[in-house]
Amino acid sequence: MTDGPAPQPARRGARPSKLVTAVDVARAAGVSKSAVSRTFSVDRSNLVAEERRRAILSAAAELGYRPNRMASSLARGGQSGLVGVLIGNFVNPMYLEILGSVAHELKSRELHGIVFNTEDPDDVHDAVRLVLGYQVDGLLVTSTALTLSVVTDCRSFGVPIVSMFGAETGSGVTGVETENDVGGRLIGEHLLARGASRVAFIGGHVPTSEPRLGGLSQALDAGGCELAAVVEAGHYSYEAGAGAMRSLLRDHEIDAVFCADDNLALGAMDVARYEFGRDIPGDLMMAGFDDIPAAAWRGYDLTTVRQPVEKIVPAAVRLLASQIHEESVPPTTSELIPGELIVRGSTSRGGL
């Protein structure tokens, strides 16, 4: 008579019921803990004899051991290799392109990003505190507001910050962004050249809205044309643009609209066409900012200012990496990169 089935060995690589440490692996392989550490170190694994290395890897696989590279790095007085990435608006498809570019640039410098959503400005401080808890080496911030207290917290922990795409700082933080005012001016000059005389602006509670409006106003003033109306839509979103256009067309006679963001413009265009029966561009010319993929779709064919993501992200990551590695980069360095006016059918009036 037996006492039951013989116990089965643990499935190779199975998830352990408790955290497996380097000490457990060392005990199972009959080696020292330092030998385990060297085996899982990229630059020291060649110091371990091949037979011993195979025994360690086998034991690690049986136990389900996974090395904590961040803890190992910090224990050696090094850096975590992590960068916090604060994104203020996941609704905007442009940020998919931005995140992809950020990931690529960080990887090329052997860094890795942790992404946090900070759509609500009131959550920024809490988000930054949370990011700092991950022992990040630096912080990339886009489309959100940085208060002085947030910047002070980061600097007190020795964590450098770089803003991208017009993140509002007001506290001397290094930043890289599009020349938003110049982009707004290009749109204004273009609309005037196409015959516009009653131009309206749809903006939002986003840091980039004000300089884009400022550039538009500058162009209109230079052309002897007054701004017909300004509507604050709130967030940069399709729904916000639709709501703003309803208000605008009910209360104002206009022949052109510049939206501070393409998402606003798409919502505004659909309302103008399908709820108010306006022809675009015959009755109403439309322009946006960003050049998201949908802007080029046949149904929108939106004139816009293209943000140079391929230039801004590498520049921002380069500045952040320089500060992480304590190279001589002034903490208030700013870079402005020109956008490009993309002319499409939404402003093609009179054969132009």
Side-chain angles (χ1 to χ4, degrees), residues 238-267:
Y238 177 95
E239 293 76 14
M245 183 58 100
R246 291 187 187 99
S247 173
L248 191 58
L249 292 180
R250 280 195 300 261
D251 301 331
H252 300 276
E253 287 294 327
I254 54 175
D255 60 9
V257 180
F258 170 37
C259 296
D261 160 83
D262 286 348
N263 290 289
L264 293 173
L266 301 187

Side-chain angles (χ1 to χ4, degrees), residues 40 96 101 104 277 316 344:
F40 288 98
L96 294 177
S101 182
H104 173 77
R344 297 194 178 103

